[in-house]
Amino acid sequence: MLVVPDDHDCLSLRDYLDFQLGGCRPGRQIVLDRLLDWLLVCTIRGWFDQPGAEAPRWYRALSDGTVGPALRAMHDAPGEPWTLASLAARARVSRTTLAKRFTELVGEPPLTYLTDWRMTLAADMLAETTETVAAVARRLGYADAFGFSAAFKRIHGVSPGKHRTLAQSPATSGQPPRDRSLDKPLPLAPTNSRPSWRTLTSPPRR
């Protein structure tokens, strides 16, 4: 949870929004949907702009001219068969340049980040949908469930099936096993449309 204090600078905007959302005016739901996205972006920006705030490395890297395009590509289409070469092409730099710059800013190589990002999304899908493990694997770019399951267990410490059982059990409902998801952006839209910064920049996860 992030709490960003309100102040007098927001009063005029709040009055305007109260007017726009009042009653049953046409387009009210559209305004509400967009407003939630806008508030989330502003809240996160405001939080990280505070003195002493330490924004995640990926957040800062999104504004980098070399790393940003590669990050957004992975966030927007995590199921694509990305390679270092294809990500470098998106960034319009050499593979060596991208790998070096990405590791410096994010703290891990591009394809390692991609695997972690996919596994973060996979954990959400398994906990919050009824899709099979094989279906989740295909959506995230894995040709078979075996390779996906091996990667998932390496990252999260449990198999996909076990993760789903724990996440959906009454005792742990809403509290899936702790993972590395705090190091990745929060998805705001379905994976097949984006996430992502899962739309903030183009995302989570908690």
Side-chain angles (χ1 to χ4, degrees):
M1 177 182 294
L2 306 180
V3 179
V4 178
D6 191 6
D7 55 45
H8 66 281
D9 292 336
C10 298
L11 291 178
S12 59
L13 179 58
R14 186 163 61 242
D15 291 341
Y16 174 76
L17 291 174
D18 285 343
F19 171 74
Q20 291 295 327
L21 297 174
C24 298
R25 305 186 70 195
R28 182 174 184 274
Q29 189 58 51
I30 294 176
V31 174
L32 281 172
D33 292 342
R34 301 301 182 272
L35 177 61
L36 289 174
D37 286 346
W38 176 77
L39 285 174
L40 177 57
V41 172
C42 291
T43 299
I44 292 177
R45 284 177 174 173
W47 179 262
F48 289 143
D49 286 343
Q50 294 181 107
E54 294 185 12
R57 298 179 72 171
W58 61 261
Y59 178 87
R60 298 192 298 267
L62 279 167
S63 61
D64 183 76
T66 296
V67 176
L71 274 172
R72 284 188 287 273
M74 289 187 278
H75 293 170
D76 290 342
E80 287 293 310
W82 296 113
T83 63
L84 183 58
S86 61
L87 290 170
R90 282 296 186 97
R92 298 184 178 181
V93 296
S94 69
R95 289 176 294 177
T96 302
T97 297
L98 176 63
K100 182 175 184 295
R101 182 67 173 167
F102 196 103
T103 303
E104 289 175 349
L105 295 185
V106 181
E108 58 187 348
L111 298 185
T112 300
Y113 179 93
L114 175 61
T115 298
D116 287 352
W117 173 231
R118 285 171 170 171
M119 294 304 107
T120 293
L121 297 178
D124 278 343
M125 292 181 200
L126 291 167
E128 300 168 5
T129 75
T130 58
E131 291 192 64
T132 65
V133 172
V136 171
R138 287 193 297 271
R139 287 186 62 183
L140 295 176
Y142 286 83
D144 59 74
F146 180 79
F148 165 78
S149 296
F152 189 94
K153 187 170 184 178
R154 185 174 69 253
I155 298 296
H156 293 289
V158 295
S159 68
K162 182 66 172 179
H163 172 84
R164 169 169 278 166
T165 299
L166 291 171
Q168 297 181 351
S169 67
T172 58
S173 179
Q175 300 180 39
R178 171 69 177 175
D179 55 35
R180 301 174 61 188
S181 61
L182 282 174
D183 297 330
K184 297 294 181 286
L186 168 67
L188 301 182
T191 309
N192 58 1
S193 67
R194 183 113 162 157
S196 9
W197 261 89
R198 252 165 35 184
T199 337
L200 294 186
T201 60
S202 17
R205 14 179 249 115
R206 299 184 224 293

